[in-house]
Structures are given as structure tokens and as C-alpha cells.
Amino acid sequence: MRRTLPIKKLAIANRGEIACRVNRAAKDLGLETVQLVSEADTVSLAARLADEVKVIGPPHPVRSYLNANAVLSAARESGADAVHPGYGFLSENAGFADAVERAGLIFVGPSGSTIRLMGDKVAARTQARNAGVPTVPGSDSVITDMDEAMALAESIGFPVMIKASSGGGGRGIRVAENAEELRKLAPQASSEAAAAFGDTGIYIEKLIEKARHIEVQVLGDGLDVVHYFERECSLQRRRQKVWEEAPSAAVCDSVRARLCASAVDLAKSVNYRGAGTVEYLYDDLTGEFYFIEMNTRIQVEHPVTEMICGTDLVVGMIRVCAGEALESTQVEIARNGHAIEVRLNAEDPANNFMPCPGIVSGLRIPRGDGIRFDHMLYDGYAVPPFYDSLLGKLIVWGPDRRRAMARLNSALDRLAIGGLPTTAPLFEALADSADVQANAIHTGWMEKWLEQNTDKLTSQGETTA
Amino acid sequence: MASRHEVKSPIPGTFYRKPAPEEPPFVEIGDTVAEGDVVALVEVMKSFHQVKADASGTVSGFPLRDGEPVTAGMTIVELD
């Protein structure tokens, strides 16, 4: 017999499709829900679905969804005993997690100290290495000497990236293909760093060419951790994922086993509580994977994992954060078939993905076995311009990848979102591409493909002016 | 021959008079602008779009305050 959860009422501190998704999980657990909204979101689908709605501030996210004090006071006033932060906004804000706990409420996520640790790139990398998780080979401290740079580059192998230690946002990054280039470029990077940041220090890191983005879903209860296998998210535009799959068709069972075990090792090393994702770069040529970072929240693409594992990760994270032990042991978690998710954004793919808010009309949602649509839409809904452009996610399942792709095509045919342009034409074109069909992709593939295929992205009949 | 002109936002979003919070506004009242000069930013779905003057003139007013929501077609800068 299951103990009753120490949560009766859950405050949803997010918006859009994930707020609707969290509401559904809360309802499945028999919880009351209070949806915290900005003034622009009082008419949102999430507000319609929740038992109660509480306004936290003006439309701009800085004054509402990112305002930790306003969010926490509203949650307390509503009598909620737990807060679900969704993704983005305050979900990886360690101070907010601490404040929620200090106020005597349950934060549906890891402890503030875990969030803080994993949010610090250097500390997270060190933590990963100490847990035996492979990291991208490179210098762990600043290099100031040319001989040291050369010795390190030779030991990790070319090509290498040279980064200014004080840089950021891609500034001061150079690629050296061989020793000769390194000898020429390292001093340049160093002097450029000195000019720009007053610091001559550089870092050297192995360049993983044509890498895939593969990530492992974990769930922990603070003592034990299990994984729910991996997802592949190599189709990206400007480092934003647009299409995700589970499992990755690129890894074999032995790599998969090592990859998933390493994610569990890392999460166990921090007594992880809640749902989390350990992200890796995967090198097809060598079969090696390298830790990038850990995301300490539920992710946008979690449904593909749910589809192949037959689990509800949002329910799972609420339970463990409420103090329950993990429901399944690792051996009880199996995967079956293949799932694909595509992100429907309010953007015009024919016009350089210009974000285009508008009023939704003629909404037609495909239904049937192996089809799921997580979204925030209804006919007549005016999509506000103040937030992320994600409208919803179409998720399909098939017994194998080929049949999942077929179902994706069929579901896209039957999906209609009128009144504003969406990224649906992008996915029709991607599904047609031989490389995508063969899964011959990497994180840089889509931007190159876009350069040659913009003509295929003309939107099919939205904008009912 | 002075005639009034209104520069309108082509898109909905959040209106900003400055390129960045710590920088001075693009234009102030009394400034002369030429057609094509950037007069404001509008943030729509986390991306920023420059709004350019579609006529020349002297800036005479801002109906909205910096950081206020704007709808498509709303006047953001008045020119004389």
C-alpha cells in the first residue's frame, strides 16, 4: 500500500506546454494545482487546466516567472506545499530552490547545493571526472607556456581548440589542426586574450568533430539513482534542439551500457534527487563519449523517454521529491521501440525562423496509437510575444525507427495549427532527407543542410490574415 | 513644411528605447533622425528586432515607456 504523499497542493511555477504537462502529472497523483501566471497568461491553457490561478506579475518574465520572491510568496499564499519549476525560468536557480525549502515547501527538483554544483562548469567537470565519467580531454588549468601547450596537444591528439581562459560566447576560440598551427595560433590566442580580457592564459581542449549530442535520463531519490536510457538530440539550430529521439540509433548496446552507467555514477556521487539529464558528446569514429553538463530539471524532450520506457517522469520526480523511494529498480526498467519528438515553434522557417506570435485557429491535433501532442494551444488563443516560441511537441512512437518515422510523417500530415507560421514544414523536409533517414547526422549537420534547403521550407497555408 | 509621422512597431513584443540596459537611448526628443535610423528595439519571443525610422524628422514623442508591452502596428516613436 502506498503512503499518501506529503503534498496536497502543487504550485506550478512555469507556463506553456510544460505547465500543462505538470498539471496532468499532478492530477494523476490526485493533487490540487495552483497555476502561477503572469498578467499575459491568465487566459493560457495552463490557467484553464489548473484548479486555481494566481497572478505573479507583469508579462515580462523578469517581472513574473523569473521573480523568485513573487513566485514564492504566491505559492505560500495559495497554500501550496510544493513548487514545480518546470524547465527554464527558476528551475536551475539554486537560490530559489533553497528559498522554497527554507519556506517549508517542497521543491520538485534537486537540492540547491546540487543545482549549484552542476551549474558551475569547472566544478561539474571535476565532479564528473572524480565519478569516473569521461570528460572532453583538455587542460584543467590555465596554460601559459608554449611547451606545455604542445605537450598537451600531442597527448590528446589534434585537432584541438584553443580557448582564451577569460573568454566566453565563442570569443577567442581557434582550431589548430596540427602542431605547426598550434605553434602559430596559441600565441595569437594568448595576445588576443590579453588585449580583450587582460589575461594571457589559454585552455586547450580536444575538438570532437561531427559529434552527436546524446544524453541520459536519470531519476534519483537522494539515495539511489536509476537511468531510463538515452536520447539523441543531434538535430540543432543555433545550439537549440529541434528534433529528439530515443533511443539513439547511433550507439551499440555495449556503448549504451557504459554511457548509462556513467550517468548513474555521476548522479549517485551527488546523491541526486529528482529527474535529471547527463549530456554527452558522442564521437562516432571512436565510439567515445564525453561529459558536457548535467541539467538538473525535467527537459523539454522527456516524452521520448516516456514513450519507450512506459513511465511518467514528471509523476516520478514529484514522488521522489516528496520523499518516496524510487518506484522501479534498474532491472525493472526496459525500453521498447523508438520515439521521435519534434518541436513546433511559432517561427517562420521560410523567413530565417523569425518568431511570429499570432492567434491560433483551425487547430487539428492528430490522435491514435503511438501519437502524443504536448501543447499549450486552443482555437482563438493569442500566443503572447513575451516568451519562448515553443507551442507544442509532437511525439510519435513506433516499434522501430523506420516505423516511427512513418508515423511522424502521417501525424505531421494530420496536424494543423493555423493563424501563425510554425516549424512544421521544417520537420516534413527533414523527414524527407536521406541523411536524417539514415541517421547520418551530427550537431552541425542541420545548419549546413538549412543553407541548401531553405526553398523546401515554405509554409503550407497558415497566416489566415 | 512639417508633417507628423508615426513610427510603428511591425511586431508585437516588449518595447525598448535602448540597445542595452546600461546604454543610452537610441534617440531622444528633439533629435533629428533620417529614414533608416534605428529608433527602438522590440523583443519578441526572446529575440530582438531593430525598428528603423521609415521617414526622416525630429523626434517629438514616445507614447510608450521603455520596457512596456507593444502590439503590432502600435506607434512607438512620433516624428515632426
Side-chain angles (χ1 to χ4, degrees):
Chain A
M1 221 182 74
R2 188 184 298 286
R3 287 182 303 123
T4 45
L5 286 180
I7 304 178
K8 297 277 172 283
K9 192 180 204 176
L10 179 69
I12 304 171
N14 211 295
R15 64 176 307 281
E17 67 87 20
I18 194 63
C20 301
R21 172 72 187 86
V22 171
N23 189 76
R24 174 159 73 79
K27 289 290 136 197
D28 282 353
L29 285 165
L31 309 180
E32 277 183 75
T33 52
V34 53
Q35 177 62 51
L36 309 183
V37 296
S38 74
E39 287 160 8
D41 277 341
T42 54
V43 297
S44 66
L45 183 60
R48 288 184 171 193
L49 293 172
D51 296 314
E52 271 174 59
V53 175
K54 219 165 164 47
V55 176
I56 48 173
H60 201 279
V62 170
R63 301 171 69 190
S64 48
Y65 299 104
L66 285 167
N67 182 343
N69 289 332
V71 169
L72 183 53
S73 334
R76 294 178 72 170
E77 282 165 25
S78 71
D81 32 35
V83 177
H84 197 303
Y87 50 66
F89 297 129
L90 297 170
S91 62
E92 290 176 284
N93 182 317
F96 178 68
D98 286 340
V100 169
E101 292 199 349
R102 269 201 308 275
L105 278 71
I106 288 169
F107 178 74
V108 183
S111 68
S113 61
T114 301
I115 296 174
R116 208 168 275 117
L117 172 66
M118 287 305 172
D120 175 336
K121 294 267 180 231
V122 175
R125 183 177 152 96
T126 306
Q127 185 75 30
R129 221 182 19 248
N130 292 344
V133 180
T135 52
V136 180
S139 50
D140 290 314
S141 53
V142 175
I143 291 180
T144 47
D145 174 51
M146 195 59 219
D147 291 340
E148 190 190 350
M150 194 59 73
L152 182 73
E154 295 286 358
S155 77
I156 63 179
F158 288 96
V160 296
M161 280 194 293
I162 310 162
K163 296 177 171 179
S165 68
S166 316
R171 287 177 77 188
I173 294 183
R174 284 177 166 73
V175 174
E177 297 287 345
N178 49 49
E180 198 183 325
E181 287 189 8
L182 179 64
R183 208 167 279 122
K184 195 175 76 202
L185 295 175
Q188 281 180 20
S190 181
S191 59
E192 186 184 282
F197 316 110
D199 177 353
T200 58
I202 54 169
Y203 282 96
I204 286 181
E205 200 174 279
K206 187 173 175 63
L207 175 70
I208 316 290
E209 291 177 289
K210 300 192 172 177
R212 292 175 190 269
H213 176 111
I214 296 182
E215 57 187 35
V216 178
Q217 177 68 54
V218 297
L219 186 68
D221 60 12
L223 293 169
D224 204 3
V225 175
V226 289
H227 71 78
Y228 286 84
F229 300 98
E230 82 287 356
R231 300 183 281 262
E232 176 163 353
C233 321
S234 300
L235 290 174
Q236 303 183 0
R237 179 177 172 272
R238 296 188 179 170
R239 293 170 187 262
Q240 296 296 307
K241 301 162 185 168
V242 301
W243 165 312
E244 301 100 346
E245 304 188 22
S248 166
V251 300
C252 63
D253 282 341
S254 78
V255 168
R256 173 172 297 118
R258 285 190 288 123
L259 179 77
C260 294
S262 84
V264 169
D265 288 345
L266 174 59
K268 274 187 179 165
S269 78
V270 296
N271 300 313
Y272 196 80
R273 180 190 69 209
T277 300
V278 185
E279 298 194 324
Y280 300 88
L281 286 177
Y282 178 67
D283 186 345
D284 271 350
L285 297 175
T286 61
E288 299 291 329
F289 52 85
Y290 306 97
F291 170 78
I292 315 172
E293 63 176 357
M294 181 169 190
N295 292 326
T296 53
R297 53 172 160 85
I298 193 72
Q299 278 187 295
V300 176
E301 60 271 25
H302 74 276
V304 288
T305 300
E306 296 182 328
M307 295 291 262
I308 63 160
C309 293
T311 192
D312 187 321
L313 292 166
V314 182
V315 163
M317 73 190 291
I318 295 173
R319 282 203 166 130
V320 292
C321 293
E324 286 197 0
L326 287 170
E327 193 168 44
S328 305
T329 60
Q330 191 65 63
V331 291
E332 292 168 340
I333 299 167
R335 64 189 170 87
N336 175 32
H338 196 93
I340 302 174
E341 172 185 281
V342 295
R343 300 190 187 191
L344 282 308
N345 293 340
E347 293 169 8
D348 185 358
N351 184 19
N352 200 28
F353 294 86
M354 168 85 170
C356 295
I359 297 174
V360 177
S361 62
L363 181 64
R364 205 171 69 229
I365 296 172
R367 305 206 185 273
D369 282 353
I371 297 177
R372 168 173 164 184
F373 188 52
D374 282 19
H375 67 99
M376 54 178 267
L377 305 172
Y378 58 83
D379 276 325
Y381 176 57
V383 177
F386 310 109
Y387 314 103
D388 191 88
S389 60
L390 183 66
L391 299 172
K393 309 169 315 201
L394 178 63
I395 307 110
V396 294
W397 178 91
D400 54 38
R401 188 170 186 268
R402 189 180 55 79
R403 283 178 280 184
M405 290 276 278
R407 196 166 262 163
L408 175 66
N409 278 316
S410 132
L412 281 169
D413 276 350
R414 288 178 287 137
L415 170 72
I417 304 171
L420 69 179
T422 76
T423 44
L426 168 68
F427 303 120
E428 286 167 358
L430 282 174
D432 260 351
S433 136
D435 284 351
V436 172
Q437 285 168 6
N439 197 31
I441 53 167
H442 54 87
T443 53
W445 179 89
M446 199 180 109
E447 296 211 9
K448 284 223 168 61
W449 176 87
L450 279 170
E451 287 168 15
Q452 287 143 24
N453 291 277
T454 37
D455 56 315
K456 294 186 181 137
L457 303 177
T458 46
S459 353
Q460 8 86 307
E462 57 286 336
T463 334
T464 49
Chain B
M1 224 179 57
S3 63
R4 290 208 131 228
H5 183 81
E6 296 178 337
V7 181
K8 295 175 168 30
S9 175
I11 47 173
T14 304
F15 163 77
Y16 296 107
R17 286 190 53 198
K18 308 168 182 177
E22 65 281 5
E23 288 176 40
F26 290 105
V27 288
E28 296 281 12
I29 288 176
D31 285 358
T32 307
V33 297
E35 196 177 326
D37 285 355
V38 177
V39 292
L41 278 186
V42 174
E43 178 187 9
V44 55
M45 293 177 155
K46 295 161 104 178
S47 75
F48 290 86
H49 296 270
Q50 294 182 337
V51 181
K52 293 175 179 163
D54 50 356
S56 56
T58 305
V59 177
S60 59
F62 298 99
L64 296 174
R65 271 176 316 186
D66 188 61
E68 271 197 290
V70 60
T71 57
M74 202 182 257
T75 299
I76 51 175
V77 181
E78 292 164 346
L79 303 178
D80 272 337

